[in-house]
Amino acid sequence: QVQLVESGGGLVQPGGSLRLSCAPSESIFSINAMGWYRQAPGKQRDLVAAIGSGGELNYSDSVKGRFTISRDNAKNTLYLQMNSLKPEDTAVYYCKARLQPSYRDYYQIYWGQGTQVTVSS
């Protein structure tokens, strides 16, 4: 079963940087829309940044100018570069992708397991 595997989370001081990565656990046939979401304790899961199937970018207002989403199509890998981190960025970050595991499958939405990002103060 295909899974999205995330890496790069951890503990960082305010003003520091982290880079999150997300990629399928095995080879897949096709992938298009991808994005990052986050959920802080007691709060809803919200969009952080996304890349649409046509390459369009979308950022939440709270991270514009600090975070950068990118995609390596050759590696089917999604990245989130997070700079100037603030304590309020602390959350579990989730990768989301619309992918087709093989030619015989439908496109489906897949979610990563989530990775903890903690910005200490």
Side-chain angles (χ1 to χ4, degrees), residues 7-83:
S7 63
L11 177 65
V12 66
Q13 295 182 349
S17 298
L18 285 173
R19 191 191 194 197
L20 306 183
S21 300
C22 171
S25 61
E26 58 192 77
S27 63
I28 59 172
F29 184 71
S30 184
I31 188 168
N32 48 36
M34 302 185 76
W36 291 97
Y37 295 72
R38 68 185 181 187
Q39 187 170 20
K43 297 185 178 180
Q44 296 180 338
R45 185 177 299 186
D46 294 323
L47 174 71
V48 178
I51 301 177
S53 59
E56 62 272 24
L57 305 179
N58 186 27
Y59 293 93
S60 69
D61 290 339
S62 63
V63 306
K64 286 182 179 178
R66 299 188 299 120
F67 291 10
T68 302
I69 188 171
S70 62
R71 182 176 63 194
D72 186 334
N73 292 331
K75 298 180 179 180
N76 289 324
T77 301
L78 182 72
Y79 302 98
L80 184 67
Q81 179 66 47
M82 304 184 293
N83 299 326

Side-chain angles (χ1 to χ4, degrees), residues 6-10 20-21 36 91-95 112-117:
E6 302 167 341
S7 63
L20 306 183
S21 300
W36 291 97
V92 177
Y93 284 69
Y94 297 90
C95 176
Q113 79 286 352
T115 184
Q116 179 70 47
V117 172

